[in-house]
Amino acid sequence: MGLEYVKISPGFEKYMPRDYVDLVKFGQFGKEIDVMQLGQFKELVEEHPMCAGCYMAYFIRVFYAALPKPEDTIVLGTAGCARLALSQAAVPFIYGNYGDTNAVASGLKRALSIRFPDKDKDVVVIAGDGGLMDIGFGMTMHSWFRREKFTTIMVDNEVYGNTGGQESGMSPKGIQLKMAPKGKQFDKINAVELAQVAGCVYVARISPTNPKRIAKVIRRAILAARKFGPTFIHAYTSCNIEYSIPTREVLADARAREKKDFKFYEWMTDEVKEYLEEIERKEKEKAKQEVKS
Amino acid sequence: MYFVAEVNEKECAKYNCKQCVLFCPEPNCLNYKQSDHTAWVWADRCKGCEICVYVCSDLLKRHCIEMVMVKTGD
Ligand SMILES: Cc1ncc(C[n+]2csc(CCOP(=O)(O)OP(=O)(O)O)c2C)c(N)n1
Ligand code: SF4
Ligand code: SF4
Ligand code: SF4
Ligand SMILES: [Mg+2]
């Protein structure tokens, strides 16, 4: 990890795959990309087998563009749809056993801080609603109780998408799914409130309707985790297959849900707020200087 | 045979817009040429979801993207 790690050794350029050469020449390594530049640089994530129109795939696309330091980041995933794309990115990816992501991330983050005491190494878990709030619930909660310094992102499609449509704790009450024919009997878990109570220092809930805002939230969550403790993002990322959303309507659906139960929500401790405001103020100043010069 | 998106670059260039590029789920699929102010589709990467058509036609009423049929190997 680190910039040296991603560079191509002299003389080897012509043997490297074109996509990798493009990544080094026109990619994000060593730069801070503004997410609004999407479509004008080589993205970290490659082609992957997630379904057409999948907004979990979209969220992951924006996630990679938003990374503050991709060359010093490790992503942790698990069984579920997200790993189909997470495993196709030029950022080290670890596959934690289903349910174990937050335990693996805890150990990894601690090891990295011992091995690289004066460097920021970011660890980010991205897993599904089933992986984090059902089967991995204990691991998720305990990583938060222990105040582990990494970011957890739940890509919530409100179903076990990868295994054919079982209900999860995050499915809305009453919803009928292929493998929940009677309709779900219980309420959707309030993950954001749980995260706050369990010790997260930064918490956000977001529907993917605004790439700039997604990127801001991801950046904030990662920066806050470096210094203060666990951070959590609850992202609505629809499964158009299990919820039978025509793909053309996927963004319309995200916009509709944002008006109802996925209203944008952001909470952080006072010290995180102060810290982030200071960083963002400096960034704005730097950007102003650059425009002037 | 399958559907992919195709940008009418001449029409798109009138708007200096880029919105569809920001909402396509696929990486480096809808791209943007700054010099010509136009979006363009890397057809091999397009999965035909039409989210870009929703953005350009339904939301922005600019109607610059069409779905076209291609054959494998085209
Ligand atoms: C320990 C264990 N239990 C069960 C499974 C089977 N399994 C694979 S993916 C999955 C559900 C995925 O649902 P979710 O975490 O919500 O991710 P999604 O596919 O919806 O993104 C299950 C139960 C497994 N791989 N490992
Ligand atoms: S099954 Fe659903 S969540 Fe999984 S890739 Fe397909 S659309 Fe996305
Ligand atoms: S949304 Fe339409 S007008 Fe805007 S960049 Fe895309 S194709 Fe061009
Ligand atoms: S149809 Fe879907 S995958 Fe193809 S360019 Fe449009 S948004 Fe991207
Ligand atoms: Mg799920």
Side-chain angles (χ1 to χ4, degrees), chain A residues 56 80-81 98 127-131 154-162 166 168 170-171 237 239:
Chain A
M56 189 185 292
C81 290
Y98 197 58
D129 42 317
M154 175 165 66
V155 277
D156 180 13
N157 56 4
E158 310 187 300
V159 65
Y160 288 21
N162 207 209
Q166 297 82 5
S168 87
M170 299 304 297
S171 308
T237 54
C239 176

Side-chain angles (χ1 to χ4, degrees), chain A residues 4 9 73 96 141 157 222:
Chain A
E4 283 310 307
S9 304
T73 303
M141 284 297 140
N157 56 4
I222 292 176

Side-chain angles (χ1 to χ4, degrees), chain B residues 20-65:
Chain B
C20 57
V21 178
L22 298 172
F23 288 98
C24 169
E26 298 302 318
N28 287 123
C29 170
L30 249 172
N31 301 283
Y32 194 74
K33 231 183 298 171
Q34 186 72 54
S35 51
D36 304 346
H37 303 287
T38 155
W40 62 277
V41 178
W42 186 345
D44 290 357
R45 290 175 172 248
C46 174
K47 291 181 182 168
C49 69
E50 294 186 73
I51 289 173
C52 53
V53 179
Y54 168 78
V55 171
C56 190
S57 294
D58 301 359
L59 282 183
L60 301 170
K61 316 282 179 220
R62 291 182 176 161
H63 310 286
C64 302
I65 305 182

